[in-house]
């Protein structure tokens, strides 16, 4: 699990910093410490995940002509939201892809990604549910609307998003369900609702 590995790396990093400087230890010593702490297989999974995210970000920047966050920055944002790092990064990249024609700013893409992550934590979704919902939401963004199983999954695990949509569109929560069934919850409305509701979700999340 990427989040668990990331947490364990963070613990080791703090321990290393407490004892001596990373520069003094050298890269070999640090990687040796990581291997001993995580185990060879888990370290390989961590490295593979990091490499995949980094390559995806580079390819996306070239394709979209948009400067995106670094893998390190996305890891930080995911950790702050207490969700899986890889799932967060994938949602961020796919949101950037789905909204590039809307002319949205990169900062707004990052904010919306964090809003979704925080909404999932507020909905008490477990790690596997978080990753699943973020994948389904990214698929909804890519196809241009939120409906069907994707809508049900998001509402079950992050119900506050339904409230944000209702607030944005000035309709009842029941009307949101009807709009989803009719395929009327488009990317523009969904993104705008998440963006405008971000501060509200963050305020609840920080309590």
């Amino acid at each position: 699990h990427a989040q668990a590995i990331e947490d364990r790396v963070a613990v080791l990093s703090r321990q290393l910093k407490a004892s001596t400087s990373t520069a003094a230890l050298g890269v070999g010593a640090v990687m040796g410490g990581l291997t001993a702490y995580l185990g060879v297989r888990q370290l390989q999974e961590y490295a593979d995940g990091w490499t995949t995210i980094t390559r995806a970000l580079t390819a996306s920047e070239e394709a979209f002509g948009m400067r995106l966050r670094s893998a390190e920055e996305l890891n930080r944002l995911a950790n702050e939201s207490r969700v899986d790092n890889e799932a967060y990064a994938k949602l961020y990249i796919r949101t950037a892809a789905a909204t590039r024609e809307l002319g949205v700013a990169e900062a707004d893409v990052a904010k919306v990604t964090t809003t979704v992550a925080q909404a999932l934590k507020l909905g008490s979704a477990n790690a596997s549910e978080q990753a699943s919902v973020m994948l389904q939401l990214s698929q909804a963004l890519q196809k241009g609307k939120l409906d069907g199983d994707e809508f049900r999954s998001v509402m079950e695990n992050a119900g506050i998003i339904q409230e944000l949509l209702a607030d944005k569109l000035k309709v009842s929560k029941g009307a949101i369900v009807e709009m989803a069934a009719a395929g009327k919850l488009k990317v523009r409305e969904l993104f705008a609702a998440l963006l405008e509701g971000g501060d509200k979700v963050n305020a609840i999340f920080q309590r």
Side-chain angles (χ1 to χ4, degrees):
H1 189 283
Q3 182 64 58
I5 295 174
E6 184 73 21
D7 291 343
R8 295 173 72 183
V9 170
V11 170
L12 179 60
S13 296
R14 288 194 294 271
Q15 291 174 343
L16 290 173
K17 289 177 182 178
S19 61
T20 184
S21 71
T22 300
L25 283 171
V27 174
V30 172
M31 291 308 292
L34 283 171
T35 302
Y37 192 73
L38 294 174
V40 175
R41 184 180 62 80
Q42 284 187 308
L43 181 59
Q44 185 62 53
E45 289 176 356
Y46 180 77
D48 288 347
W50 184 274
T51 300
T52 298
I53 292 170
T54 301
R55 287 177 176 171
L57 287 167
T58 299
S60 297
E61 284 186 337
E62 293 175 356
F64 309 155
M66 176 191 292
R67 180 67 178 173
L68 301 177
R69 304 289 170 107
S70 66
E72 292 90 342
E73 177 67 5
L74 293 183
N75 276 341
R76 182 185 67 78
L77 293 172
N79 288 339
E80 289 177 355
S81 299
R82 302 194 290 277
V83 296
D84 181 78
N85 304 69
E86 287 187 48
Y88 183 99
K90 288 176 181 178
L91 177 59
Y92 168 82
I93 292 169
R94 289 167 178 168
T95 301
T99 59
R100 66 188 185 278
E101 294 182 359
L102 301 180
V104 303
E106 181 281 329
D108 290 342
V109 172
K111 183 174 182 178
V112 163
T113 306
T114 292
T115 298
V116 172
Q118 291 179 339
L120 285 167
K121 292 302 292 186
L122 292 175
S124 300
N126 61 36
S128 62
E129 289 169 339
Q130 292 167 16
S132 176
V133 172
M134 284 192 275
L135 172 61
Q136 289 182 301
L137 185 57
S138 68
Q139 291 172 336
L141 288 169
Q142 288 179 316
K143 74 177 184 180
K145 60 183 179 180
L146 179 62
D147 61 2
D149 290 340
E150 292 151 353
F151 174 80
R152 284 188 289 275
S153 179
V154 171
M155 295 307 110
E156 288 173 2
N157 293 284
I160 194 171
I161 292 178
Q162 183 177 5
E163 183 178 326
L164 299 183
L165 283 164
D167 289 346
K168 172 62 180 175
L169 299 176
K170 301 187 187 318
V171 298
S172 67
K173 291 182 180 180
I176 294 298
V177 175
E178 294 173 358
M179 291 178 69
K184 294 182 178 180
L185 291 181
K186 303 298 186 181
V187 168
R188 186 182 296 275
E189 289 75 26
L190 177 59
F191 187 88
L194 291 168
L195 181 61
E196 292 183 16
D199 291 342
K200 175 181 180 178
V201 172
N202 184 58
I204 299 172
F205 181 81
Q206 296 298 338
R207 289 176 185 170

